[in-house]
Amino acid sequence: MTKIKKINTQSSSLFVGRWQPFHKGHQTLIETVLKKGKPVVIAIRDTEISHKNPYSTYERWTMIQKALKKYGELVKIVVIPDIDEICYGREVGYDIRKIELDQKTETISGTLTRLKNPPTQKIIWITGQSGAGKTTLASALQKELGGVILDGDEMRETISKDLGFSKKDRDTHNLRVARLAQVLSRKSLVIVSVIAPFEQTRSKIDQLIKPIWVHIKRKLPKDANKPYQDPKQPHIRVESDKQTTAEQISIIVNYLKTVNHTSQKS
């Protein structure tokens, strides 16, 4: 018969949160219990990555582990499904209590922390009709700035293999790419070479990751099977019929310098 080893028989305090990100206010709150020698369980809500929830579960786990490392086995971190309420019935042997902190700590905001320390590096999204030159431009831009490329065809063969080309599927595909770009941008410049044909879809992408939009134009015959709406106000517009790839790169790099988005090639 297998014996169950009890790691710690002492009762624990449970803290549940998004921890987006885990900041000094959170640390102070949890340390009010840890400093008394009582174990804590920190539950990370497994939220879907979005503009409001930009950090992955792994990143939040790492933040908490690093901040509370000195407490060793007193800290246990678990991941739970996302929740919007905590329910309980009759008294079952535990209390729900609010820990009062000083006013300065109480006012620490996760939203302000995210604004002051944005989690992402840079995401450049090259949009344009099929055949406009997105792949060529993305490759040249990577040689100039470094980073990783998310290519539309490759994304279709991997993360969106289950999707077709209806407007709904195109929308889903683009948002999947946006979420992947958001995760990758923690460590690197990301160059996205995906059509993103609809203004409404690009608006959703903006809400999620706010990329630098590069619209690459080329005179091409209209194809009803390949719909495309020109962006109204991209950050940068280049034209394959009038500019060489080198000239397009120069335009993009000069723009990035003006907004402090240049990256050292690694």
Side-chain angles (χ1 to χ4, degrees):
M1 182 177 177
T2 304
K3 291 184 178 180
I4 299 175
K5 182 181 178 182
K6 292 185 178 180
I7 298 175
N8 196 322
T9 57
Q10 187 178 354
S11 59
S12 303
S13 293
L14 172 66
F15 293 86
V16 181
R18 289 185 301 124
W19 321 117
Q20 289 278 1
F22 187 80
H23 54 63
K24 283 290 184 182
H26 296 143
Q27 183 174 342
T28 301
L29 174 69
I30 294 169
E31 283 183 336
T32 60
V33 174
L34 287 171
K35 287 179 178 179
K36 296 176 182 178
K38 186 177 182 181
V40 301
V41 177
I42 302 171
I44 301 173
R45 288 168 52 193
D46 190 14
T47 50
E48 185 174 335
I49 289 179
S50 66
H51 186 61
K52 186 178 178 182
N53 299 301
Y55 295 95
S56 68
T57 302
Y58 174 76
E59 286 175 305
R60 288 176 283 157
W61 183 296
T62 303
M63 290 176 196
I64 297 168
Q65 195 174 50
K66 183 177 180 181
L68 303 175
K69 184 179 179 180
K70 66 180 181 181
Y71 295 100
E73 292 186 359
L74 285 178
V75 177
K76 182 177 181 180
I77 307 169
V78 298
V79 179
I80 62 172
D82 194 15
I83 60 172
D84 60 8
E85 63 179 357
I86 296 176
C87 307
Y88 72 101
R90 60 185 176 83
E91 295 295 330
V92 287
Y94 56 81
D95 294 324
I96 297 177
R97 67 186 178 95
K98 179 182 178 182
I99 297 174
E100 299 292 340
L101 300 173
D102 62 88
Q103 188 175 2
K104 183 178 179 181
T105 304
E106 287 276 8
T107 56
I108 296 175
S109 161
T111 301
L112 291 177
T113 302
R114 290 194 298 272
L115 290 173
K116 291 178 182 177
N117 303 286
T120 56
Q121 294 291 322
K122 297 145 275 279
I123 301 173
I124 299 172
W125 195 301
I126 303 173
T127 177
Q129 290 175 276
S130 179
K134 295 184 299 299
T135 300
T136 300
L137 180 57
S139 179
L141 195 58
Q142 184 188 45
K143 289 178 182 177
E144 180 71 23
L145 300 177
V148 297
I149 294 175
L150 297 183
D151 178 76
D153 291 338
E154 291 179 357
M155 294 296 97
R156 278 282 180 182
E157 289 298 316
T158 52
I159 64 172
S160 295
K161 205 168 185 177
D162 59 317
L163 298 176
F165 291 90
S166 67
K167 191 175 187 302
K168 181 179 178 181
D169 279 2
R170 290 175 192 267
D171 191 64
T172 300
H173 166 62
N174 279 272
L175 292 178
R176 284 182 184 177
V177 174
R179 292 187 183 99
L180 177 58
Q182 186 175 49
V183 173
L184 294 176
S185 69
R186 306 276 192 269
K187 303 294 183 182
S188 172
L189 167 70
V190 180
I191 302 165
V192 181
S193 174
V194 175
I195 296 174
F198 303 114
E199 189 71 18
Q200 185 179 31
T201 303
R202 292 191 290 266
S203 178
K204 291 179 182 178
I205 293 169
D206 271 333
Q207 292 175 27
L208 188 64
I209 59 173
K210 298 187 182 302
I212 296 170
W213 288 103
V214 178
H215 177 210
I216 182 167
K217 292 189 68 175
R218 172 171 279 166
K219 288 184 179 179
L220 294 163
K222 290 186 178 181
D223 186 339
N225 295 318
K226 298 178 180 179
Y228 185 79
Q229 299 170 348
D230 283 354
K232 294 177 181 177
Q233 291 183 314
H235 297 94
I236 306 164
R237 200 185 305 273
V238 295
E239 299 188 47
S240 293
D241 292 321
K242 298 179 180 179
Q243 299 155 339
T244 65
T245 301
E247 288 171 333
Q248 293 172 354
I249 293 297
S250 178
I251 291 169
I252 294 169
V253 170
N254 285 336
Y255 173 84
L256 295 177
K257 287 178 180 177
T258 66
V259 293
N260 196 28
H261 270 87
T262 47
S263 169
Q264 289 187 344
K265 186 175 177 181
S266 57

